[in-house]
């Protein structure tokens, strides 16, 4: 048999061999198809555990011996607070066994389980790999948590869980209509963060109007300090102070219109005025050099080193930047500065809302157990434990008495008090993740703040993104009620 | 001789073919099927929607952007990498001055250079990407600091933060990390070229330049072609994804104003961030077609008469 030639008549040539084996391949493909067709798309799902009997101590009717499967995002808040709450669950239900899985790979670990129809009973769906909540709701994959909210609270049997929560928490968990699909456990204060000590050393007060803001930045610039820095690689941090400013200048309706993806929502004069105000920071050179190329950690580090005065951020920054923050930094947060006295809302208007979304999947085997675990976490004791160990407020209203608050947390509580009813809660970032982070954030505001687009161009671009999202039938749309 | 040959062949090929079909062909067919549905990737239920995903893809601006970037990578990366590697390999093996009587030798210290070039190959691409992310840091990174050091403090680009530079920065990292592999590959190829060819060329007074284009390159053509395809597929697939995802700006990478988004990254974002697994498989099918087309074009362009020696 010739080794390279197909011309010889005796023996099977290489070319023949290839042709014939290709034919076999073609036949075997459909055959294999039959075999593996059975393998995909046949999630039989979990068998639900039987319900237990309701009692005063067990208002949700948890099956006392059923196992609980709890998956937690192991991020900025760590896992100890959840472990502590699990201990309480296991004390209350000694026959139950809790399977606890802390992970940072929420989607990687849970997407197959959702697809297979056997998701865990309780999930902290958070972090960079968060599953899109809008999609989960739209696909009917979540349990309505109304039963939990109507159950008696751990601390006071005459008080329902829903009456112990901070304002806005329940609304955030609703997508359209009454059911509550998500319970946000942490309570995040967004705003402009700074070192009180550095501000004092400039002999300045936190600016309430934009003219004062520019004056403070000018003062800082003379001392070689930049006015602002931000997570340039994740410019969707800028809205943490920009959106409440828009709300303050133009009123809540402007933010609601933006969230509802209304046509021309971004063309409102308040949006334009605020964009121009921020652009002014770039134009006057008040932004730390190189900021567009920094990520959140790098920009926070530059800021804790005193290279920049202000940074838009959320209350997790105290925990996250703890390593590089000098002991006498005197961290403080303030509501964003407005434009001038003609603003629709008073100074103090700020963005605060729930963080760390907890969900109970619709196909969970033990949904009552998942809710019961949440009920325990929403007790005063667990909430205090959380606040104390991770320097963040929880959804439980109050629970800060008698514990010593860190400077940032204390400043956050004071800012919340000052805000009173003037707390705004823009929803783009949980309703339309891609639109908010990538399109408005990176491609829109990020480009503008790097000086590569004017405010007018940016608004036009963002309005186009919003219109596209409004028309995109593959996205589920939500509206403020 | 002929008796039972079919039985023999079938016996030999059945098992590997079955495995190939199950793990290679079947997933392709499956993803083509999923691309015709509205599967979200977050629940086992989905419906059949026909070619909706495909018409949506054709209207998707970001798809076109990522396709354009992927094609740029597939054209530029092999060109630069293979070109550089050929140059280095030639210098290391043939380009040296004659000394100690050897007719053919590399430049001085070529054994050392070979190790240096190969070194990045030992590092995982994730580590390489992270390293360069720090180097590109506009504030305190190695590159801008070096510029400052040599008195070019006025030039401080944002590198990965600048849409005009980001894709070039990414490509530079990919070239840096893969060129060593091809240097070694081509060195091995050059070693098998008979020395008398070179000696004859030297006797005729051929320059290095002529030697390379008249002897080395034609005799190395098969290796170059494989390297070319391999690099192109690398540029279209996993390596470009890793580098872009780790290094560049944005929620999951993609660069400022979509300046570095590539097809595999877009597939990943749609499937695992936006919960649109069906649309992601549609883009995956497009990526498959692009890869096949790339291989076909290179094979067609690269077809040459085989030289025997």
């Amino acid at each position: 048999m010739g080794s390279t030639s197909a011309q010889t008549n005796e023996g099977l040539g290489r070319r023949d061999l290839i042709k014939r084996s290709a034919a076999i391949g073609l036949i075997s493909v459909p055959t294999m198809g039959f075999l593996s067709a059975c393998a995909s798309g046949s999630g039989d799902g979990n068998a639900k555990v039987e319900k237990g009997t309701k009692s005063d101590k067990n208002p949700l009717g948890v099956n006392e011996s059923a196992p609980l499967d709890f998956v937690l995002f192991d991020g900025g808040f760590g896992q100890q607070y959840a472990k502590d709450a699990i201990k309480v669950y296991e004390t209350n239900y000694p026959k139950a066994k809790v399977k606890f899985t802390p992970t940072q790979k929420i989607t990687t670990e849970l997407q197959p389980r959702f697809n297979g129809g056997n998701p865990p009973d309780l999930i902290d769906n958070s972090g960079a790999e968060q599953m899109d909540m809008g999609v989960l709701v739209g696909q009917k994959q979540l349990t309505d948590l109304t039963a939990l909210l109507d159950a008696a609270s751990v601390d006071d049997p005459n008080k329902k869980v829903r009456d112990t929560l901070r304002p806005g928490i329940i609304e955030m968990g609703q997508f359209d209509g009454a059911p509550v699909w998500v319970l946000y456990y942490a309570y995040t204060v967004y705003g402009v963060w700074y070192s009180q000590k550095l501000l004092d050393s400039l002999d300045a007060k936190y600016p309430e109007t934009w003219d004062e803001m520019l004056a403070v930045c000018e003062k800082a610039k003379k001392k070689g300090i930049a006015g602002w820095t931000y997570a340039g690689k994740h410019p969707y941090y800028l809205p943490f102070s920009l959106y409440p400013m828009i709300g303050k200048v133009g009123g809540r309706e402007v933010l609601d219109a933006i969230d509802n993806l209304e046509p021309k929502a971004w063309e409102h004069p308040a949006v334009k005025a605020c964009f121009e105000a921020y652009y002014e920071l770039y134009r006057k050179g008040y932004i730390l050099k190189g900021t567009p190329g920094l990520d959140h950690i790098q920009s926070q580090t530059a800021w804790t080193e005193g290279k920049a005065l202000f940074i838009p951020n959320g209350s997790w920054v105290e925990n996250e930047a703890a390593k590089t923050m000098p002991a006498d930094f005197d961290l403080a947060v303030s509501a964003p500065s407005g434009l001038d006295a003609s603003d629709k809302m008073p100074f103090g208007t700020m963005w605060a809302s729930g963080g760390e979304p907890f969900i109970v999947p619709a196909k969970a085997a033990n949904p009552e157990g998942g809710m019961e675990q949440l009920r325990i976490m929403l007790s005063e004791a667990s909430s205090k434990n959380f606040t104390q160990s991770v320097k963040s407020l929880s959804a439980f209203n109050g629970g800060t008495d008698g514990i010593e608050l860190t400077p940032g947390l204390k400043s956050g509580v004071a800012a919340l008090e000052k805000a009173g009813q003037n707390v705004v809660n823009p929803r783009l970032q949980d309703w339309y993740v891609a639109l908010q982070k990538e399109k408005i954030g990176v491609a829109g505001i990020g480009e503008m703040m790097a000086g590569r687009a004017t405010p007018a161009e940016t608004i036009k671009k963002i309005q186009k993104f919003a219109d596209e999202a409004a028309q995109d039938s593959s996205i589920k749309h939500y509206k403020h009620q | 001789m002929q008796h039972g040959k079919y039985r023999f062949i079938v016996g030999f090929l059945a098992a590997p073919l079955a495995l190939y079909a199950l793990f290679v062909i079947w997933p392709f067919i499956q993803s083509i099927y999923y691309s015709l549905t509205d599967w979200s990737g977050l629940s086992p239920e989905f419906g059949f929607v026909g070619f909706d995903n495909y018409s949506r893809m054709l209207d998707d601006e970001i798809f076109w952007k990522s396709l354009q970037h992927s094609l740029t990578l597939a054209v530029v990366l092999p060109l630069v990498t293979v070109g550089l590697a050929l140059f280095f390999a030639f210098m290391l093996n043939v380009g040296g001055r004659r000394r100690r009587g050897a007719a053919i030798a590399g430049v001085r210290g070529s054994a050392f250079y070979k190790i240096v070039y190969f070194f990045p190959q030992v590092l995982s691409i994730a580590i390489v990407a992270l390293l360069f992310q720090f180097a590109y840091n506009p504030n305190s990174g190695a590159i801008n600091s070096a510029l400052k050091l040599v008195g070019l403090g006025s030039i401080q680009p944002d590198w990965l933060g600048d849409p005009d530079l980001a894709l070039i920065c990414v490509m530079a990292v990919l070239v840096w990390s893969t060129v060593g592999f091809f240097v070694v590959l081509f060195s091995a190829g050059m070693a098998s070229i008979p020395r008398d060819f070179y000696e004859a060329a030297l006797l005729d007074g051929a320059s290095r330049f002529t030697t390379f284009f008249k002897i080395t390159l034609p005799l190395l053509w098969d290796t170059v072609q494989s390297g070319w395809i391999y690099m192109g597929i690398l540029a279209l697939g996993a390596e470009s994804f890793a580098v872009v995802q780790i290094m560049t700006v944005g929620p999951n990478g993609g660069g400022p104003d979509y300046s570095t988004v590539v097809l595999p990254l877009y597939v990943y974002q749609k499937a695992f961030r936006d919960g649109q697994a069906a649309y992601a498989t549609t883009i995956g099918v497009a990526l498959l077609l692009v890869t096949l087309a790339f291989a076909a074009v290179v094979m067609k362009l690269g077809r040459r008469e085989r030289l025997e020696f």
Side-chain angles (χ1 to χ4, degrees), chain B residues 15 21 28 35 51 55 63 73 95-96 113 135 175 197 227 250 253 258 261 281 286 294 298:
Chain B
F28 279 125
S35 73
F51 285 93
S55 61
F63 164 73
L73 288 181
Y113 287 133
V175 168
F197 288 23
Y258 299 109
V261 62
T281 55
F294 172 81
V298 174

Side-chain angles (χ1 to χ4, degrees), chain A residues 50-331:
Chain A
E50 260 174 60
K51 278 198 176 198
T53 38
K54 289 192 187 186
S55 69
D56 282 354
K57 286 211 80 174
N58 183 3
L60 286 162
V62 176
N63 179 336
E64 303 198 358
S65 57
L68 177 71
D69 189 347
F70 182 1
V71 176
L72 181 93
F73 169 66
D74 186 9
F77 293 143
Q79 39 171 292
Q80 191 54 45
Y81 75 97
K83 280 187 181 163
D84 293 340
I86 287 170
K87 268 182 217 138
V88 180
Y89 188 95
E90 286 178 331
T91 317
N92 292 357
Y93 307 102
K95 278 183 268 174
K97 209 182 137 4
V98 180
K99 183 181 161 223
F100 178 61
T101 321
T103 176
Q104 298 197 342
K105 304 259 158 217
I106 290 291
T107 299
T108 315
E109 294 210 357
L110 295 183
Q111 196 160 7
R113 295 190 62 182
F114 271 94
N115 268 320
N118 59 339
D121 303 315
L122 180 63
I123 303 166
D124 171 16
N125 179 24
S126 189
E129 273 209 8
Q130 182 181 51
M131 292 176 287
D132 192 317
M133 225 76 74
V135 176
L136 284 174
V137 172
Q139 299 271 330
K140 304 201 181 352
Q141 292 297 309
L142 300 182
T143 301
D144 178 9
L145 301 176
T146 304
L148 163 69
L149 297 172
D150 287 334
S153 74
V154 172
D155 300 300
D156 181 355
N158 298 318
K159 220 173 174 183
K160 288 179 183 174
V161 169
R162 68 167 70 236
D163 300 325
T164 66
L165 301 179
R166 286 186 190 274
I169 289 287
I170 295 175
E171 288 73 43
M172 272 197 82
Q174 295 172 324
F175 280 76
D176 38 8
V180 179
W181 303 112
V182 186
L183 196 120
Y184 288 84
Y185 186 61
Y187 196 68
T188 306
V189 176
Y190 300 95
V192 182
W193 296 78
Y194 56 95
S195 155
Q196 187 67 51
K197 186 184 158 217
L198 188 58
L199 200 60
D200 288 345
S201 77
L202 289 171
D203 214 11
K205 268 194 2 237
Y206 182 84
E208 298 199 1
T209 67
W210 205 252
D211 285 341
E212 286 172 28
M213 171 58 84
L214 296 176
V216 172
C217 290
E218 185 61 39
K219 227 177 193 175
K221 194 181 179 185
K222 287 206 178 102
K223 289 208 164 185
I225 302 168
W228 285 61
T229 189
Y230 58 90
K233 287 194 181 184
H234 314 280
Y236 47 92
Y237 276 48
L238 280 161
F240 297 160
S241 60
L242 180 58
Y243 285 0
M245 181 181 180
I246 292 171
K248 172 172 159 37
V249 173
R252 282 173 201 278
E253 319 78 69
V254 186
L255 292 178
D256 284 356
I258 286 174
D259 283 345
N260 293 345
L261 302 180
E262 280 169 26
K264 302 202 169 145
W266 289 89
E267 285 161 23
H268 193 279
V271 179
K272 189 155 187 284
C274 293
F275 271 43
E276 272 164 2
Y278 269 60
Y279 190 62
E280 196 78 1
L281 294 174
Y282 161 77
R283 253 179 16 95
K284 295 215 155 118
Y286 296 153
I287 307 253
L288 179 69
K289 220 168 172 309
T291 292
L294 302 180
D295 68 15
H296 57 302
I297 300 291
Q298 290 164 340
S299 63
Q300 280 162 205
T301 305
W303 164 74
T304 52
E305 284 168 352
K307 289 185 185 154
L309 203 48
F310 300 117
I311 192 167
N313 222 314
S315 42
W316 62 80
V317 68
E318 187 165 32
N319 215 18
E320 199 172 57
K323 264 185 249 159
T324 57
M325 199 180 286
D328 60 348
F329 192 72
D330 209 1
L331 177 68

Side-chain angles (χ1 to χ4, degrees), chain A residues 30-58:
Chain A
T31 329
M32 292 314 295
F34 276 109
L35 286 177
S36 49
C38 332
S40 71
S42 64
D44 333 330
N46 279 359
K48 296 249 183 219
V49 300
E50 260 174 60
K51 278 198 176 198
T53 38
K54 289 192 187 186
S55 69
D56 282 354
K57 286 211 80 174
N58 183 3

